[in-house]
Amino acid sequence: MSGRYNIVKEFIVKPTAKAVKKIFNKQKTTGQTVNPFKYKSPKTKSEKESRNLNVFLKKRSGKFKRSYMPSIHKMDETSAGLRQLNQKLKGEKITKSGVSKAKDMKK
C-alpha cells in the first residue's frame, strides 16, 4: 500500500501542487502603472483651432450618417420584398432575405 501511495504522490500529487502554485501565486509587479493615454492641451491658437475643426468634422459626419441611414434601411426592406416576390414567381421557397439557397432552387 505504501509503495502505491509513494508512486501516486511522486507522479500526480507533487506536479499538480506545483502547477497550482504557479497559477495562483501572486505576480511580481514593478510598482509602475500603465497609462496609455496622456492628454496634451493645445497651447497655441492654431492647435486649438485644428482640434476644434476635427471635433466639428466628426460631429458633422455623424449627423449626416444618422440622417440618411433610415432611408437606406427602407431601401433594403423594399429590395428584400422584391426578391421575395421574384422567388414566389419562380416557385422557390420564400426566405426572409429573398435570397435563394442552392438546395431550395428548382432544377
Side-chain angles (χ1 to χ4, degrees):
M1 180 88 178
S2 65
R4 288 184 197 159
Y5 175 75
N6 288 336
I7 291 172
V8 169
K9 183 178 174 184
E10 189 67 34
F11 293 105
I12 296 175
V13 176
K14 283 185 180 179
T16 306
K18 285 182 183 178
V20 169
K21 281 184 183 179
K22 283 184 180 180
I23 293 171
F24 294 107
N25 198 7
K26 289 184 179 180
Q27 294 181 355
K28 295 179 182 177
T29 60
T30 60
Q32 296 176 349
T33 59
V34 177
N35 189 2
F37 177 76
K38 292 184 179 179
Y39 176 73
K40 294 180 182 175
S41 61
K43 294 183 175 145
T44 63
K45 186 176 181 181
S46 63
E47 287 177 353
K48 288 179 186 178
E49 288 175 357
S50 69
R51 180 196 61 190
N52 291 338
L53 179 65
N54 288 335
V55 170
F56 174 76
L57 291 174
K58 289 184 184 196
K59 284 182 180 180
R60 292 296 295 169
S61 68
K63 283 183 182 179
F64 180 70
K65 286 179 185 177
R66 282 192 301 274
S67 67
Y68 74 82
M69 284 308 285
S71 61
I72 289 178
H73 288 302
K74 287 179 185 176
M75 286 190 300
D76 288 341
E77 292 169 4
T78 306
S79 60
L82 290 173
R83 289 192 301 265
Q84 288 173 347
L85 181 64
N86 194 17
Q87 284 178 332
K88 187 176 182 180
L89 293 174
K90 287 182 180 178
E92 297 172 351
K93 182 180 175 183
I94 299 173
T95 60
K96 184 178 179 182
S97 64
V99 178
S100 298
K101 307 251 192 294
K103 63 181 181 181
D104 297 331
M105 292 180 149
K106 282 191 172 183
K107 294 180 182 178

